[in-house]
């Protein structure tokens, strides 16, 4: 690979990430990176590069059926989330919890963590939905929007890879199954996916760290400063920060009677409809209910489930006299429209992914790491490569597709557990999706929390790197000892506690907020 090819592989993603952090303008940064990559692919011709920016890398993203469905259900999620907020159900739920259960900052963070873990069906919509439900609670407890965004991102970006019935689970099993067919391997994709769960050290570690921080108060770095600001001044976002969120709350009209059921009923119906949709699209009559869940289309199910649930939520709001039928329709449309900027970022993120593919970014990272692979370092090297790729491109989907065949092939070649290889790939892919500034999940978590996007990235990144460092040690121990997944997982979790404790003592020294917030 010559010098120009190396520069071509690394400049577009590096430019996107650097500009996003420096300028705090994600849309502009992504567009510039796509344009620069397209121009480089056209050997420095900016006119051809500008044409290809739109007609080769951005607009073709609309052709992909899964992208169309994702745009649709993200829009419907925005509509449903605003319906829950405006309909009074989320506020009634928050009031009930605040009055009877959640009364401290610690319990508020734990409750939000539980919500993020419980609503697991899609990484792309969960942050907005969970944020709409719990933001009322965390605001009352003076928990910063940066902390809320971190909790949302660390649960909703991670939990779906631990469930085969989630949008990610279905996609990953499909990738594994397709590769097995190509190499005529007789393994069971679903069983191997499940066998890889104990090896998802970063995934499980990031979920666990939220709970550890919530229970102990071991905040450090930028997050500690954000939490002190929120507790001591009541300022939940940084001064002057630009925030993408829904419209401001409206006052409930006279005679309105919203209850906690205005939120609980739609959420229960949503989950039921997702399972029904999976059974329908997976042909339960031919494959049985369990088989249909593996064969069904999660994206098709989510689109229909969110739309029907939004209709039911609107009907409950009308019945509770919170809004008229016309206001319910307008609220749903406004919620859908509030996701427009997020959808543009998603489309540009797909565009930068296409540019990186054309520039050979993933192939470059793989080629650099491939020569370092040994049976002892297999897990660690694949994890590092997957982390770098997912962070550079902001996409875990492409990482799963690229690295799963490589990791499985290596595992088969050295007679290592296939599930282990799959789990490592998923863990590395989650890292970038969790904390890259150009990841759609990172953006949606900022929206769900009402937090400035770059502030979310800066406060979350030290925590993500803490978990990644602990996970890397866990993978090295697993590789060199030949131990099972649980050995490395235990080491990862212990190291997370130790590192967080040390960093809190060094960079999060006791303050009035730290002493009293528990």
């Amino acid at each position: 690979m010559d010098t120009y090819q190396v520069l071509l592989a690394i400049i577009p993603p590096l430019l996107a990430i650097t500009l996003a952090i420096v300028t705090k303008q994600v849309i502009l940064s992504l567009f510039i990176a796509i344009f620069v990559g397209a121009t480089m692919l056209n050997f420095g011709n900016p006119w051809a590069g500008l044409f290809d920016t739109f007609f080769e890398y951005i607009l073709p993203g609309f052709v992909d059926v899964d992208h169309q469905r994702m745009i649709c259900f993200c829009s419907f999620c925005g509509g449903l989330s605003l319906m829950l907020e405006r309909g009074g159900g989320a506020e009634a739920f928050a009031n009930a919890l605040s009055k009877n259960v959640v009364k401290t900052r610690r319990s508020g963070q734990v409750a939000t963590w539980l919500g993020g873990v419980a609503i697991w069906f899609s990484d792309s919509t969960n942050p907005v939905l969970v944020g709409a439900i719990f933001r009322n609670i965390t605001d009352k407890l003076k928990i910063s929007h940066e902390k809320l965004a971190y909790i949302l991102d660390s649960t909703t970006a991670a939990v779906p890879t631990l469930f085969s019935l989630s949008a990610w689970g279905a996609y990953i099993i499909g990738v594994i199954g397709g590769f097995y067919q190509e190499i005529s391997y007789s393994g069971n994709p679903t069983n191997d996916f499940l066998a890889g769960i104990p090896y998802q050290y970063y995934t499980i570690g990031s979920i666990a760290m939220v709970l550890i921080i919530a229970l102990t108060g071991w905040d450090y770095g930028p997050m500690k400063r954000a939490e002190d600001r929120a507790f001591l001044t009541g300022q939940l976002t940084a001064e002057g920060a630009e925030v993408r969120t829904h419209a401001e709350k409206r006052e409930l009209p006279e005679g309105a009677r919203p209850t906690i059921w205005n939120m609980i009923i739609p959420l229960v119906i949503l989950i039921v409809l997702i399972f029904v949709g999976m059974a329908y699209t997976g042909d339960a009559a031919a494959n049985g209910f369990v088989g249909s869940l593996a064969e069904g289309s999660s994206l098709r199910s989510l689109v229909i489930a969110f739309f029907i649930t939004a209709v039911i939520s609107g009907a409950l709001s009308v019945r509770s006299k919170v809004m008229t039928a016309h206001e319910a329709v307008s609220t749903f449309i406004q919620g859908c429209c509030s996701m427009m900027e997020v959808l543009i970022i998603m489309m540009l993120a797909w565009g930068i992914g296409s540019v990186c593919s054309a520039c050979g970014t993933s192939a470059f990272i793989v080629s650099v790491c491939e020569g370092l692979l040994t049976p002892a370092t297999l897990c660690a090297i694949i994890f590092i490569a997957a982390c770098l790729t997912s962070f550079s491109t902001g996409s875990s989907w492409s990482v799963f597709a690229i690295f799963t065949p490589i990791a499985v092939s290596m595992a088969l070649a050295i007679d290592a557990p296939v599930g282990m290889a799959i789990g490592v790939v998923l863990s590395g892919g989650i890292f970038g999706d969790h904390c890259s500034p150009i990841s759609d999940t990172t953006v949606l978590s900022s929206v769900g929390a009402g937090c400035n996007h770059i502030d979310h990235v800066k406060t979350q990144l030290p925590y993500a790197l803490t978990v990644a460092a602990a996970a890397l040690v866990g993978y090295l121990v697993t590789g060199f000892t030949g131990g099972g997944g649980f050995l490395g997982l235990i080491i990862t979790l212990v190291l997370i506690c130790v590192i967080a404790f040390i960093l809190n003592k060094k960079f999060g020294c006791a303050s009035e907020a730290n002493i009293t917030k528990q």
Side-chain angles (χ1 to χ4, degrees):
M1 185 176 285
D2 60 33
T3 303
Y4 187 77
Q5 288 177 313
V6 172
L7 293 175
L8 186 64
I10 63 176
I11 286 179
L14 188 61
L15 186 62
I17 293 168
T18 303
L19 286 177
I21 293 174
V22 173
T23 67
K24 298 187 178 183
Q25 298 295 324
V26 179
I27 290 178
L28 179 63
S29 302
L30 286 172
F31 182 82
I32 291 174
I34 295 171
F35 170 69
V36 170
T39 301
M40 292 180 70
L41 287 167
N42 282 283
F43 304 100
N45 186 331
W47 185 251
L50 185 60
F51 263 77
D52 284 357
T53 295
F54 288 101
F55 301 114
E56 291 292 331
Y57 302 114
I58 296 178
L59 295 180
F62 288 97
V63 177
D64 188 288
V65 175
D66 282 343
H67 287 181
Q68 295 170 6
R69 293 169 179 169
M70 191 170 296
I71 289 171
C72 192
F73 86 75
C74 280
S75 299
F76 290 170
C77 178
L80 174 60
S81 298
L82 189 57
M83 192 76 74
L84 292 175
E85 284 190 66
R86 292 278 185 84
E91 187 171 0
F93 179 75
N95 290 337
L97 281 185
S98 300
K99 182 178 180 180
N100 301 309
V101 181
V102 181
K103 298 181 179 180
T104 65
R105 291 167 58 85
R106 176 189 287 130
S107 59
Q109 293 177 57
V110 172
T112 307
W113 177 83
L114 287 172
V117 171
I119 301 177
W120 44 261
F121 36 81
S122 169
D123 66 299
S124 298
T125 57
N126 290 1
V128 179
L129 193 59
V130 178
I133 295 170
F134 286 93
R135 193 164 59 241
N136 286 315
I137 296 174
T138 58
D139 283 359
K140 290 180 180 180
L141 297 171
K142 295 184 180 180
I143 296 170
S144 69
H145 284 189
E146 290 93 334
K147 173 60 78 65
L148 175 59
Y150 164 63
I151 297 173
L152 295 177
D153 209 350
S154 297
T155 52
T156 57
V159 173
T161 58
L162 303 177
F163 289 89
S164 60
L165 302 181
S166 68
W168 263 352
Y171 169 76
I172 294 161
I173 291 171
V175 170
I176 298 170
F179 179 65
Y180 283 3
Q181 288 183 348
E182 288 180 14
I183 64 174
S184 300
Y185 179 62
S186 60
N188 184 294
T190 302
N191 289 343
D192 288 340
F193 169 82
L194 296 174
I197 291 175
Y199 293 94
Q200 291 195 49
Y201 299 166
Y202 179 83
T203 307
I204 298 172
S206 63
I207 298 170
M209 184 166 180
V210 176
L211 184 60
I212 292 168
I213 295 295
L215 292 173
T216 62
W218 290 343
D219 286 307
Y220 52 89
M223 186 69 79
K224 178 65 169 61
R225 293 192 290 273
E227 282 290 86
D228 284 354
R229 180 204 68 226
F231 182 80
L232 295 173
T233 70
Q235 190 176 329
L236 301 178
T237 59
E239 185 176 355
E242 294 183 7
V243 175
R244 300 184 192 94
T245 186
H246 293 128
E248 294 182 6
K249 248 186 286 185
R250 66 192 279 268
E251 293 295 328
L252 293 178
E254 187 177 350
R257 301 185 304 275
T259 68
I260 192 174
W261 297 106
N262 286 48
M263 191 202 71
I264 293 178
I265 291 175
L267 289 182
V268 171
I269 290 174
L270 178 64
I271 294 172
V272 170
L273 286 175
I274 291 172
F275 279 95
V276 170
M278 293 289 287
Y280 176 77
T281 57
D283 194 359
N287 298 316
F289 180 72
V290 176
S292 68
L293 297 179
E295 298 293 331
S297 170
S298 57
L299 287 176
R300 291 175 65 189
S301 305
L302 287 166
V303 168
I304 299 301
F306 270 92
F307 178 75
I308 294 176
T309 304
V311 172
I312 293 172
S313 179
L316 289 171
S317 297
V318 173
R319 183 176 180 273
S320 302
K321 297 183 180 181
V322 176
M323 58 183 76
T324 65
H326 175 74
E327 289 173 334
V329 173
S330 297
T331 298
F332 176 72
I333 294 174
Q334 185 180 348
C336 292
C337 292
S338 72
M339 300 293 286
M340 182 57 65
E341 190 172 357
V342 174
L343 296 179
I344 292 173
I345 292 173
M346 288 175 61
M347 288 183 285
L348 290 174
W350 295 329
I352 191 66
S354 298
V355 167
C356 288
S357 177
C359 292
T361 301
S362 299
F364 170 72
I365 294 174
V366 170
S367 66
V368 169
C369 297
E370 207 167 23
L372 304 174
L373 286 173
T374 67
T377 62
L378 172 68
C379 291
I381 296 299
I382 290 178
F383 177 67
I384 292 173
C387 284
L388 291 174
T389 304
S390 60
F391 189 83
S392 299
T393 62
S395 170
S396 56
W397 297 74
S398 59
V399 168
F400 299 156
I402 293 167
F403 282 90
T404 297
I406 297 171
V408 170
S409 298
M410 289 297 300
L412 292 173
I414 63 175
D415 199 28
V418 172
M420 176 186 73
I422 293 171
V424 175
V425 170
L426 300 186
S427 203
I430 290 300
F431 172 80
D433 193 82
H434 181 201
C435 57
S436 172
I438 58 175
S439 164
D440 58 343
T441 306
T442 309
V443 173
L444 288 167
S445 296
S446 303
V447 173
C451 175
N452 176 269
H453 177 56
I454 300 302
D455 287 344
H456 167 44
V457 173
K458 290 192 297 186
T459 52
Q460 176 171 265
L461 192 56
Y463 290 3
L465 291 174
T466 295
V467 178
L472 181 59
V473 174
Y475 285 129
L476 286 171
V477 171
T478 298
F480 281 99
T481 64
F486 289 105
L487 172 63
L489 180 59
I490 292 171
I491 290 173
T492 299
L493 295 176
V494 171
L495 277 177
I496 289 172
C497 293
V498 172
I499 296 172
F501 175 78
I502 293 173
L503 291 177
N504 171 258
K505 289 296 182 183
K506 188 171 180 61
F507 301 107
C509 55
S511 66
E512 182 182 349
N514 197 45
I515 294 170
T516 61
K517 69 182 177 179
Q518 306 303 322

